[in-house]
Amino acid sequence: MRYRALGRTGIEVSAYCLGTMMLGSVGNPDHDDCARIIGHALDHGVNFIDTADMYSAGESETIVGKALHGRRDDVILATKVHFPMGEGRNRGGNSRRWILTAVDDSLRRLNTDWIDLYQIHRPDHTTDIEETLATLGDLVRAGKIRAYGCSTFPAEELVEAHHAAQRRAVSRFRTEQPPYSLLARGIEADILPVAQRYGMGVLVWSPLASGFLSGRIHRDTVDLTTGRAALTPHRFDPAIPANAAKYDALEQLTALADELGCTLPELAVAFTQAHPAVTSTIIGPRTLAHLDTALKGAALALDDATLDRIDEIVPPGVNLYRPDGAWRAPSLTDSTLRRRPPSARAAA
């Protein structure tokens, strides 16, 4: 397992990061089995674990905390805050009030005194970014977290956060966690160059495109009643015209993997590792077998000829689907932000 500097934090992390979204009621509810998955990853050189408070409503953090008993000092532990936790007002978002509550909840569930990387899970346009950054800086000084970053922030918001940190004379986001795969290369056009410019570490998620690149999905045989396809059928249904380009690319990428003598998942994860801006790729197994499959491909390095072939199938900077289904910019979802009052819409 290779290790890389996490941006300019001075922290060294493994090239694979163990994602734990599937550990808990949403994926694998067997805590003992989940502990075996975590232990197996650590035994094979993974020293980086990523979770979030909202994964299985906190259960994932609890599982991770129990599994790391006696091994906490060897692990770079990351978690996230933003999405609502429970009913009622002020139980989510990026406000000082909620972050100060949420970090203590995460520390308790994780059974640890500190979090190595605390990440803001999505933007929150109801809270000034200066307020969020100042709060995170206070948590560093309090010893509750070591560094902080963000997840799935648009490039322009990364730039704004950087300048806000300068204005407020506080530390800036040190990492970004965006989606990246053979089918979702949009971040190559903006997020990754911005991260390189500011020396940010980058943890990429969903390298298998939410299961589309798992090797089990085929245009003629996809089962929309089970697994990921059942959860998000609009992403997998071959009858939907918008999915045609994905299936076309899938067939070509599968053929390419066969030529290389590797599996499609191995090709998919190795692709994310080829970009110089990527620090670590998050692999999110539900079972020990899934983890072994991912670890098996860790040594695969793609040569320039293979990467050129991939560029022909899915051009650089192109998304064949919208990879983040959990958040959309208010400028797109709130029509009042993109429509003048009726009386002011005419040019004369």
Side-chain angles (χ1 to χ4, degrees):
M1 182 63 62
R2 280 202 170 102
Y3 300 87
R4 300 181 180 130
L6 184 62
R8 295 175 185 159
T9 64
I11 299 171
E12 287 193 354
V13 296
S14 49
Y16 278 4
C17 174
L18 181 67
T20 64
M21 187 178 72
M22 299 305 293
L23 304 187
S25 59
V26 169
N28 186 344
D30 186 330
H31 287 207
D32 290 337
D33 191 40
C34 292
R36 284 189 288 271
I37 292 170
I38 293 170
H40 192 65
L42 299 182
D43 291 342
H44 282 76
V46 174
N47 78 334
F48 198 11
I49 296 178
D50 176 75
T51 186
D53 56 2
M54 58 86 66
Y55 292 166
S56 294
E59 186 183 3
S60 174
E61 286 188 328
T62 300
I63 289 169
V64 171
K66 290 191 297 184
L68 291 184
H69 180 71
R71 306 185 73 168
R72 175 66 184 91
D73 290 344
D74 300 324
V75 173
I76 305 304
L77 181 57
T79 192
K80 300 184 278 295
V81 60
H82 167 80
F83 286 105
M85 294 290 289
E87 300 294 330
R89 298 180 184 275
N90 300 308
R91 297 283 301 165
N94 304 342
S95 69
R96 170 178 287 268
R97 185 182 192 278
W98 174 241
I99 290 173
L100 293 179
T101 298
V103 72
D104 285 339
D105 291 343
S106 287
L107 287 168
R108 185 185 68 255
R109 287 189 293 263
L110 291 165
N111 193 31
T112 186
D113 294 327
W114 81 96
I115 294 162
D116 294 290
L117 177 63
Y118 199 46
Q119 300 159 101
I120 302 300
H121 213 157
R122 292 294 189 280
D124 173 8
H125 292 142
T126 68
T127 304
D128 284 341
I129 189 63
E130 290 94 340
E131 181 80 0
T132 301
L133 291 169
T135 303
L136 294 169
D138 289 343
L139 291 178
V140 172
R141 285 185 288 276
K144 293 184 178 183
I145 67 175
R146 299 292 188 255
Y148 49 87
C150 52
S151 175
T152 322
F153 271 47
E156 66 273 13
E157 303 221 15
L158 293 179
V159 175
E160 169 58 21
H162 175 79
H163 290 294
Q166 288 185 319
R167 290 194 300 269
R168 205 51 193 266
V170 296
S171 182
R172 55 189 172 81
F173 285 136
R174 297 297 185 178
T175 63
E176 160 60 12
Q177 185 180 140
Y180 187 40
S181 73
L182 286 164
L183 302 179
R185 302 183 59 177
I187 66 170
E188 294 172 344
D190 46 26
I191 299 293
L192 295 182
V194 167
Q196 288 177 299
R197 185 181 310 158
Y198 294 140
M200 300 176 73
V202 177
L203 303 64
V204 296
W205 57 271
S206 199
L208 300 186
S210 297
F212 207 85
L213 299 172
S214 65
R216 298 186 296 272
I217 302 298
H218 305 281
R219 192 196 305 259
D220 297 330
T221 60
V222 61
D223 184 353
L224 300 177
T225 65
T226 63
R228 297 264 189 162
L231 293 174
T232 54
H234 62 282
R235 289 188 173 186
F236 292 85
D237 189 349
I240 297 176
N243 289 333
K246 284 202 306 181
Y247 276 104
D248 290 343
L250 176 63
E251 291 171 358
Q252 296 178 70
L253 292 168
T254 301
L256 177 58
D258 290 341
E259 289 180 31
L260 296 173
C262 67
T263 67
L264 181 59
E266 289 172 355
L267 176 67
V269 176
F271 166 76
T272 65
Q273 286 283 303
H275 198 290
V278 173
T279 308
S280 189
T281 300
I282 298 174
I283 54 173
R286 181 174 55 82
T287 68
L288 196 58
H290 292 164
L291 175 60
D292 275 330
T293 297
L295 293 173
K296 181 182 176 182
L300 178 62
L302 305 183
D303 59 22
D304 287 343
T306 299
L307 293 172
D308 288 342
R309 292 275 301 280
I310 291 171
D311 288 349
E312 293 171 359
I313 298 169
V314 182
V318 169
N319 282 342
L320 296 185
Y321 72 103
R322 189 167 65 87
D324 179 23
W327 183 87
R328 294 195 76 188
S331 57
L332 298 178
T333 59
D334 185 348
S335 63
T336 64
L337 298 179
R338 48 187 169 81
R339 295 176 184 175
R340 295 180 187 276
S343 61
R345 292 176 188 171

